[in-house]
């Protein structure tokens, strides 16, 4: 009888086993970019607080490459037990599905989307020693040269597309210099290896505050919280509005009790005043979302990014 009971427990489906207390082991939170970039910064902020609320460590694991598809694929193929999660983003679940013809996952069907963490505008950056001091200077220099050269955190990232849209608004060509994440790109920008970059505020905000980078404008519809002195691109006469966004997702068929617990704790983390203030200081104010609203948001973003990728003529590299 004991052997039969033990065997029946082993054969229970995941949904039934999920009724037991969860989580009983540390959780892997896969960040599909290199350390130091916006996705990594946002993921680590949430991981620390989420782990404290769940009673188990949430361990960040960086799996960079192929426009965030390597890390996203790892989660799509994981056991739906709530112990492997993803920092999903506008790259992994917005741009890359339109960019890669043979992407190894479906951004909706192969995931359970839990909730959004933050939505952040991009910021136009130059080296602090650059003669370019304002957005007007940048526009004049770009038009005189007939092109802009940008470091990008990866081909097809939201900040890459923000740069493409900026160049299109200026009427000039774009030369994109790809990196494996925002961290390495920012290092080269600070070192003067590349002349400019579009990046999300959460990763570059600290360097801007420290004077290691010069920020010229943000891509939001309004000025960013914590960076009220920075004009928007629209204020500079360029009709460009662009955001990066980040959330928590798991594999498809994540049991509803786990989804509900994750959603509840994530929303508690994002309404915690110190955490919210920290994200707002970085330019990424967190919204109030549910699994249903985040899933619907991703569906809309997939439809919006596809024509932009085609119009920009982007190709995976």
């Amino acid at each position: 009888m004991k052997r039969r009971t033990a065997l029946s427990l082993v054969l229970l489906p995941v949904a039934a086993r999920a009724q037991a207390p969860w989580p009983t082991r540390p959780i892997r939170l896969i960040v599909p970019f290199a350390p130091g970039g916006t996705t990594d910064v946002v993921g680590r902020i949430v991981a620390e607080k989420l782990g404290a609320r769940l009673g188990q460590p949430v361990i960040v694991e960086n799996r960079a490459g192929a426009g965030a598809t390597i890390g996203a694929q790892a989660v799509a193929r994981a056991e739906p037990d709530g112990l492997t999660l993803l920092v999903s983003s506008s790259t992994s679940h917005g741009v890359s599905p339109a960019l890669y013809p043979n992407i190894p996952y479906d951004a909706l069907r192969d995931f359970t989307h839990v909730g959004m963490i933050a939505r952040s505008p991009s910021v136009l950056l130059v080296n602090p020693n650059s003669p370019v001091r304002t957005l007007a200077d940048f526009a004049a220099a770009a038009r005189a040269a007939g092109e802009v050269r940008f470091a990008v955190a990866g081909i097809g990232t939201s900040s890459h597309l923000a740069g493409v849209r900026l160049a299109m608004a200026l009427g000039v060509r774009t030369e994109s210099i790809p990196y494996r994440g925002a961290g390495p790109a920012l290092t080269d920008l600070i070192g003067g290896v590349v002349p400019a970059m579009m990046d999300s505020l959460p990763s570059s905000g600290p360097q801007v505050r420290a004077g290691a980078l010069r920020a010229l404008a943000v891509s939001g519809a309004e000025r960013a919280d914590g960076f009220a002195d920075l004009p928007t691109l629209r204020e500079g006469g360029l009709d460009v509005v662009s955001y990066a966004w980040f959330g928590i997702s798991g594999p498809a068929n994540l049991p509803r009790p786990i989804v509900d617990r994750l959603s509840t704790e994530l929303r508690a983390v994002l309404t915690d005043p110190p955490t919210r203030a920290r994200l707002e200081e970085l330019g990424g104010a967190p919204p109030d979302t549910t699994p249903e609203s985040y899933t619907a948001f991703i569906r809309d973003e997939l439809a919006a990014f596809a024509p932009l990728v085609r119009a920009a003529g982007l190709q995976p590299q």
Side-chain angles (χ1 to χ4, degrees):
M1 178 64 70
K2 290 183 178 178
R3 290 182 60 188
R4 184 179 302 169
T5 301
L7 180 60
S8 66
L9 286 174
V10 170
L11 295 177
L12 276 174
V14 171
R17 282 184 274 138
Q19 303 303 317
W22 174 91
T24 58
R25 290 185 285 136
I27 297 169
R28 288 191 307 156
L29 179 61
I30 292 181
V31 171
F33 287 100
T38 302
T39 314
D40 183 66
V41 172
V42 169
R44 290 180 188 277
I45 290 173
V46 170
E48 178 185 358
K49 300 293 185 178
L50 196 58
R53 295 194 63 86
L54 291 172
Q56 288 287 344
V58 177
I59 302 168
V60 172
E61 180 180 318
N62 296 91
R63 288 202 185 184
T69 62
I70 292 175
Q73 181 185 13
V75 175
R77 292 182 174 179
E79 181 78 10
D81 54 11
L83 298 178
T84 303
L85 302 173
L86 175 74
V87 181
S88 48
S89 69
S90 44
T91 300
S92 64
H93 284 72
V95 179
S96 287
L99 179 62
Y100 291 88
N102 298 311
I103 192 167
Y105 57 82
D106 184 286
L108 293 171
R109 186 181 61 242
D110 293 335
F111 295 88
T112 303
H113 298 298
V114 176
M116 188 183 291
I117 300 171
R119 190 181 74 161
S120 175
S122 295
V123 58
L124 175 59
L125 303 164
V126 295
N127 184 281
N129 297 318
S130 170
V132 174
R133 307 193 65 84
T134 66
L135 178 58
D137 291 343
F138 182 89
R143 286 170 173 146
E147 68 173 11
V148 290
R149 296 179 64 241
F150 284 116
V152 296
I155 296 297
T157 57
S158 59
S159 56
H160 178 201
L161 284 181
V164 169
R165 293 181 67 181
L166 174 56
M168 291 171 67
L170 288 167
V172 299
R173 300 183 304 276
T174 307
E175 181 183 345
S176 302
I177 307 166
Y179 285 80
R180 289 175 62 86
L186 289 170
T187 297
D188 275 4
L189 181 61
I190 292 170
V193 177
V194 290
M197 181 177 178
M198 289 289 283
D199 187 41
S200 294
L201 273 172
S203 61
S204 55
Q207 290 94 330
V208 172
R209 293 186 187 280
L213 292 169
R214 179 181 297 152
L216 304 181
V218 293
S219 68
E222 300 175 348
R223 296 195 178 198
D225 293 334
F227 293 87
D229 58 327
L230 282 179
T232 66
L233 292 171
R234 274 187 171 174
E235 288 178 77
L238 301 170
D239 189 17
V240 177
V241 176
S242 176
Y243 291 92
W245 46 265
F246 316 91
I248 297 293
S249 301
N253 302 316
L254 203 59
R256 190 69 205 196
I258 292 178
V259 176
D260 290 342
R261 175 82 190 280
L262 275 172
S263 176
T264 297
E265 302 300 355
L266 177 62
R267 294 173 77 181
V269 166
L270 297 178
T271 55
D272 171 59
T275 304
R276 186 175 185 89
R278 188 176 178 191
L279 288 170
E280 286 178 345
E281 286 174 0
L282 294 171
D288 182 17
T289 61
T290 64
E292 290 74 23
S293 65
Y294 187 40
T295 302
F297 176 84
I298 290 175
R299 183 178 291 108
D300 290 344
E301 288 290 278
L302 285 166
F305 274 118
L308 179 58
V309 168
R310 289 194 297 269
L314 297 185
Q315 297 293 327
Q317 293 185 1

